[in-house]
């Protein structure tokens, strides 16, 4: 009897919570934790941790057969962009814009700046200027 | 024995109902523009911090993305957009609130922009129960019409005492230790996220949520005081 009661209680409690919490449709891992650490301390160690977390979110989402959450590919791409790995960055930005078409506008902008960075290899820090410099075709 | 079981059922059913269906406002009557404009992409602007906690801004901005994604929206990665805004010389969100927002549509492709003012971010330390009180004022504004699509103005209290550790005096002592530890560790990320989830409770679901465009009649506790539109700092104390 006691065991049965516990079961009923457990079921009721789980129903109670299920009604109020949004359904789990994404895997976010420790995203906010590592991002917070990165924003707060802004050092190499926190950056590596956050990068690993992003990679883990991507692989874990694939394992669980879930869509990778919005912005994850883009954020990882942005880290690559800062590390001057433009090719990897472009691939990730493209993946993001395929997965979430509404991000295309910003992703195209980021892809342009990644390509500009690649071709001129100088420190292009302004993404704002729509990079259409074909200056080396002379 | 039988009678007490019925009582238990009764209490649980009441609890269940009371938590999920408070009769106050429906989403569509309160935020009709959300259903009209159907924003998909949300740009999170750096929050304005009026609280005394220096960390509040980071806690807020790093934990808001996740709940918004679960609500079915596409949020631009905060680290990227914050970086771009800085490069564009936008440090002060306050200056943007009454300006035309079309530039965010043009630049980022954002349908809506989220403005947040953190009014209060207080930790209260007590022996057996510590709480985090978060008071925010959020507004989701359209980049096409500049109108406010959704807003939340309220306080969320999160219990930091780390769950129940069992009864008796030993349990209480254990609980006090857990409380002390969790406040000392200063890892409030999960609590900040929890506060954000609750602040978003009245927001209609977005494109990527199964309930998108089906939640018009969903009711919620209306915490938005209609009269206090002017941001007056610290009503209490």
């Amino acid at each position: 009897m006691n065991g049965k009661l516990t079961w009923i209680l457990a079921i009721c409690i789980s129903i109670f919570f299920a009604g109020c919490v949004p359904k789990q449709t994404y895997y976010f891992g420790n995203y906010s934790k590592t991002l917070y650490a990165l924003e707060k301390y802004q050092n190499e160690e926190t950056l590596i941790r956050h990068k690993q977390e992003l990679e883990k979110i991507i692989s874990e989402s694939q394992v669980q057969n879930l869509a990778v959450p919005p912005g994850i590919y883009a954020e990882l791409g942005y880290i690559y962009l800062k590390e001057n790995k433009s090719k990897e960055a472009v691939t990730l930005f493209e993946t993001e814009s395929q997965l979430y078409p509404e991000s295309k506008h910003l992703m195209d902008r980021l892809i342009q700046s990644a390509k500009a960075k690649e071709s001129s290899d100088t420190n292009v820090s302004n993404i704002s200027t729509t990079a259409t410099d074909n200056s080396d075709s002379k | 024995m039988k009678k007490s079981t019925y009582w238990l059922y009764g209490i649980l059913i009441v609890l269940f109902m009371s938590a999920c269906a408070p009769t106050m406002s429906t989403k569509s009557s309160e935020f009709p523009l959300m259903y009209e404009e159907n924003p998909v992409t949300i740009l999170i602007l750096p929050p304005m911090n009026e609280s005394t906690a220096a960390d509040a801004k980071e806690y807020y901005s790093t934990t808001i993305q996740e709940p918004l994604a679960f609500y079915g929206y596409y949020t631009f990665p905060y680290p990227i957009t914050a970086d771009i805004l800085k490069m564009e010389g936008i440090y002060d969100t306050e200056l943007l609130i009454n300006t035309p927002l079309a530039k965010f549509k043009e630049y980022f492709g954002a349908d809506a922009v989220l403005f947040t003012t953190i009014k209060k971010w207080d930790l209260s330390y007590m022996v057996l129960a510590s709480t985090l009180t978060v008071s925010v004022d959020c507004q989701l504004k359209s980049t096409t019409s500049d109108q406010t699509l959704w807003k939340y103005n309220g306080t969320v209290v999160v219990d930091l005492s780390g769950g129940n550790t069992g009864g008796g005096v030993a349990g209480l002592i254990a609980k006090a230790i857990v409380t002390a530890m969790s406040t000392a560790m200063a890892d409030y990320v999960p609590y900040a996220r929890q506060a954000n989830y609750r602040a978003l409770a009245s927001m209609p679901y977005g494109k990527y949520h199964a309930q998108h465009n089906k939640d018009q009649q969903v009711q919620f506790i209306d915490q938005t005081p209609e009269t206090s539109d002017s941001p007056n700092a610290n009503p209490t104390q």
Side-chain angles (χ1 to χ4, degrees):
Chain A
M1 189 63 188
N2 224 342
K4 208 172 178 183
L5 225 147
T6 324
W7 263 107
I8 291 166
L9 242 167
I11 289 166
C12 285
I13 287 169
S14 63
I15 288 171
F16 172 57
F17 281 112
C20 305
V21 176
K23 217 177 74 194
Q24 193 86 5
T25 43
Y26 294 122
Y27 172 82
F28 262 101
N30 287 318
Y31 175 81
S32 10
K33 258 188 188 171
T34 53
L35 180 61
Y36 172 76
L38 176 63
E39 291 277 314
K40 171 129 201 216
Y41 302 107
Q42 310 220 342
N43 57 28
E44 197 63 28
E45 196 200 330
T46 54
L47 180 67
I48 291 168
R49 280 236 190 99
H50 189 56
K51 198 176 154 188
Q52 283 169 345
E53 194 59 39
L54 292 172
E55 279 160 352
K56 197 184 140 207
I57 290 169
I58 292 171
S59 62
E60 191 61 30
S61 297
Q62 282 159 354
V63 168
Q64 294 188 17
N65 213 6
L66 297 167
V68 173
I72 299 294
Y73 281 120
E75 214 180 310
L76 188 59
Y78 197 67
I79 293 172
Y80 278 124
L81 183 64
K82 281 182 167 171
E83 289 172 350
N84 287 322
K85 290 176 185 160
S86 307
K87 275 219 178 78
E88 287 92 331
V90 168
T91 316
L92 286 162
F93 293 146
E94 278 167 352
T95 315
E96 175 84 20
S97 99
Q98 273 161 20
L99 187 58
Y100 296 103
E102 53 278 337
S103 71
K104 194 174 186 303
H105 192 81
L106 181 63
M107 290 308 115
D108 285 351
R109 224 177 246 277
L110 291 168
I111 289 167
Q112 271 181 342
S113 78
K115 283 185 175 159
K117 206 169 180 175
E118 197 179 21
S119 64
S120 63
D121 224 36
T122 47
N123 199 8
V124 183
S125 58
N126 55 331
I127 296 165
S128 59
T129 49
T130 34
T132 45
D133 54 276
N134 299 321
S135 48
D136 30 15
S137 61
K138 221 182 176 181
Chain B
M1 193 59 172
K2 255 263 152 85
K3 214 166 190 177
S4 69
T5 318
Y6 282 126
W7 265 106
L8 196 75
Y9 273 127
I11 290 166
L12 280 167
I13 286 167
V14 167
L15 244 174
F16 174 57
M17 297 294 209
S18 70
C20 299
T23 46
M24 294 305 266
S25 289
T26 64
K27 287 184 177 182
S28 67
S29 69
E30 203 63 24
F31 310 113
L33 288 173
M34 278 302 268
Y35 296 96
E36 240 170 72
E37 292 202 7
N38 261 320
V40 177
T41 50
I42 295 179
L43 175 70
I44 304 157
L45 289 176
M48 298 164 264
N49 188 9
E50 287 178 6
S51 77
T52 47
D55 283 5
K57 210 170 157 168
E58 278 82 20
Y59 276 122
Y60 184 87
S61 59
T62 54
T63 55
I64 182 71
Q65 220 170 296
E66 209 176 308
L68 276 174
F70 278 113
Y71 268 79
Y73 292 94
Y74 182 84
T75 50
F76 298 104
Y78 183 79
I80 301 182
T81 53
D83 241 27
I84 294 175
L85 290 174
K86 254 184 227 163
M87 282 183 230
E88 292 290 306
I90 299 168
Y91 290 93
D92 217 344
T93 309
E94 239 145 4
L95 301 174
L96 296 170
I97 202 148
N98 288 319
T99 60
L101 302 171
K103 52 183 175 284
F104 292 106
K105 177 121 204 156
E106 223 169 86
Y107 197 100
F108 295 97
D111 299 330
V113 175
L114 185 68
F115 287 92
T116 308
T117 310
I118 303 165
K119 298 274 184 196
K120 209 195 249 177
W121 191 280
D122 287 345
L123 287 157
S124 67
Y125 303 93
M126 278 172 274
V127 182
L128 293 179
S130 291
T131 54
L132 169 69
T133 307
V134 179
S135 189
V136 285
D137 189 348
C138 323
Q139 267 188 60
L140 189 69
K141 291 186 103 181
S142 162
T143 55
T144 42
S145 64
D146 288 338
Q147 278 176 303
T148 302
L149 303 176
W150 171 86
K151 64 178 175 180
Y152 174 84
N153 189 333
T155 304
V156 174
V157 179
V158 182
D159 182 16
L160 305 182
S161 44
N164 200 353
T165 45
V169 180
L172 282 180
I173 291 167
K175 201 178 175 200
I177 292 167
V178 169
T179 303
M181 270 170 63
S182 57
T183 39
M185 280 194 300
D187 178 19
Y188 303 119
V189 169
Y191 305 114
R193 196 171 48 213
Q194 221 175 313
N196 274 333
Y197 264 115
R198 282 201 234 151
L200 290 179
S202 68
M203 185 181 263
Y205 291 118
K207 182 184 166 186
Y208 291 103
H209 195 282
Q211 288 296 311
H212 178 54
N213 264 338
K214 288 176 195 156
D215 57 349
Q216 283 92 332
Q217 298 313 316
V218 171
Q219 293 174 323
F220 64 94
I221 308 167
D222 191 3
Q223 288 192 334
T224 319
E226 282 305 314
T227 45
S228 69
D229 242 356
S230 58
N232 264 327
N234 275 345
T236 52
Q237 237 188 19

